[in-house]
Amino acid sequence: GAGVSQSPRYKVAKRGQDVALRCDPISGHVSLFWYQQALGQGPEFLTYFQNEAQLDKSGLPSDRFFAERPEGSVSTLKIQRTQQEDSAVYLCASSLVRQGNQPQHFGDGTRLSIL
Amino acid sequence: AQSVTQLGSHVSVSEGALVLLRCNYSSSVPPYLFWYVQYPNQGLQLLLKYTSAATLVKGINGFEAEFKKSETSFHLTKPSAHMSDAAEYFCAVSGTSASGGSYIPTFGRGTSLIVHP
């Protein structure tokens, strides 16, 4: 596709369950970012990949959060033993290269609700 | 460290009126500045970006922004609001590691633009 694709669009899980969120970036984009967006807030950085390498995971809130991009294209964000505070929209973005002047292309996000 | 402050969580204007959304940044030089728009249940879309070329930047949908270094501001404007402009707007800043910034953008908390008929 032409844009960044995220699935599922909506996910409801019970507290304690594990969830996996998928991001399919724009073909050829080297950089891939995951963000968490709480209601009424801006995106908060979680982690960054350059190709298959996870270069920055400083924004991951706990060791329950894990992300991978094994072949340098599709990425998965996994949350283990979900808690209610994990409820948010998770956004994925990609950019052509790792430079500060490069705009990001965002997917429509996955809205995660933890009951 | 880089940061942005968006003044006003909500801005309300009448259709046809001037739109002004405020953004102040804190960053090492040079900053790269962006405005994004987010419609309900969608991701962020780039409106415009400043990357140290012209200080007045024109974007899509009639929006423009002016980089003012002395005021550390990058306010977004549109001469005449349209109902379809109602959305959430985010200012973002990034930089380079060589200048003490980060290529990972930092986003503001957003401003919700409300357009009245």
Side-chain angles (χ1 to χ4, degrees), chain B residues 12-19 80-83 114-117:
Chain B
S12 182
V13 300
S14 298
E15 192 174 19
L18 171 71
V19 174
S80 177
H82 193 273
M83 295 295 289
I114 302 162
V115 182
H116 297 287

Side-chain angles (χ1 to χ4, degrees), chain A residues 9-10 33 35 37 40-43 45 48 56 91 98 100-104 106-108 111, chain B residues 32 34 36 38 41-44 46 49 51 88 90 94-95 102-105 107-110:
Chain A
R9 288 296 317 276
Y10 303 92
F33 303 77
Y35 294 90
Q37 185 177 25
Q41 303 293 319
F45 171 75
Y48 164 74
D56 191 330
L91 295 169
R98 186 186 80 171
N101 61 354
Q102 290 294 305
Q104 299 191 325
F106 283 82
D108 286 339
R111 183 177 298 277
Chain B
Y32 301 124
F34 306 83
Y36 290 86
Q38 186 177 35
N41 297 317
Q42 294 186 22
L44 281 69
L46 181 69
K49 66 176 183 178
T51 57
E88 193 80 14
F90 294 94
S94 62
S102 172
Y103 57 86
I104 298 173
F107 290 84
R109 297 182 64 173

Side-chain angles (χ1 to χ4, degrees), chain A:
Chain A
V4 177
S5 178
Q6 291 189 247
S7 61
R9 288 296 317 276
Y10 303 92
K11 176 70 178 177
V12 179
K14 293 182 179 179
R15 185 163 56 93
Q17 289 183 329
D18 298 347
V19 297
L21 313 180
R22 176 188 169 103
C23 173
D24 199 341
I26 293 173
S27 178
H29 277 197
V30 167
S31 297
L32 186 146
F33 303 77
W34 281 99
Y35 294 90
Q36 181 187 63
Q37 185 177 25
L39 188 64
Q41 303 293 319
E44 294 284 343
F45 171 75
L46 293 176
T47 187
Y48 164 74
F49 289 86
Q50 180 173 292
N51 295 310
E52 69 278 4
Q54 188 175 22
L55 298 186
D56 191 330
K57 53 182 181 179
S58 62
L60 296 177
S62 77
D63 58 7
R64 296 186 295 104
F65 286 70
F66 171 76
E68 61 182 4
R69 194 185 184 196
E71 297 180 357
S73 56
V74 172
S75 177
T76 303
L77 176 67
K78 298 178 180 178
I79 309 174
Q80 298 176 327
R81 305 181 303 281
T82 52
Q83 302 294 318
Q84 284 192 324
E85 61 262 29
D86 300 335
S87 295
V89 175
Y90 290 85
L91 295 169
C92 175
S94 69
S95 63
L96 189 60
V97 294
R98 186 186 80 171
Q99 290 182 7
N101 61 354
Q102 290 294 305
Q104 299 191 325
H105 301 263
F106 283 82
D108 286 339
T110 294
R111 183 177 298 277
L112 176 64
S113 299
I114 304 301
L115 305 179

